[in-house]
Amino acid sequence: MTTFHVPDMSCGHCKASITETLTNAGAEKLAFDMEARTVDVLGLSPEEVIEKLDQIGFPAEQK
């Protein structure tokens, strides 16, 4: 799994949007830490994750 910092992720709606987007893109597993504003992603390349999150307004960086 690869960890990404998503500073604008702050609520359940954010989590739901990210989950839907990354799952539809082919992510196999997601794990969220809302307090740290991170998401662990399995099944997508770091570039794919960053691109998909940017498309829905959640700039992210790989940790």
Side-chain angles (χ1 to χ4, degrees):
M1 291 184 80
T2 306
T3 302
F4 298 87
H5 181 240
V6 188
D8 295 338
M9 179 178 68
S10 61
C11 67
H13 182 264
C14 299
K15 181 179 176 180
S17 295
I18 290 169
T19 298
E20 179 180 1
T21 297
L22 296 180
T23 300
N24 288 342
E28 298 169 21
K29 184 176 179 183
L30 302 173
F32 289 85
D33 182 337
M34 295 301 288
E35 187 174 312
R37 297 187 182 194
T38 62
V39 58
D40 297 328
V41 182
L42 178 65
L44 295 172
S45 73
E47 295 80 14
E48 288 175 301
V49 173
I50 290 169
E51 178 184 338
K52 294 297 182 187
L53 292 181
D54 192 51
Q55 288 174 354
I56 62 167
F58 290 100
E61 63 182 29
Q62 185 178 352
K63 287 192 80 170

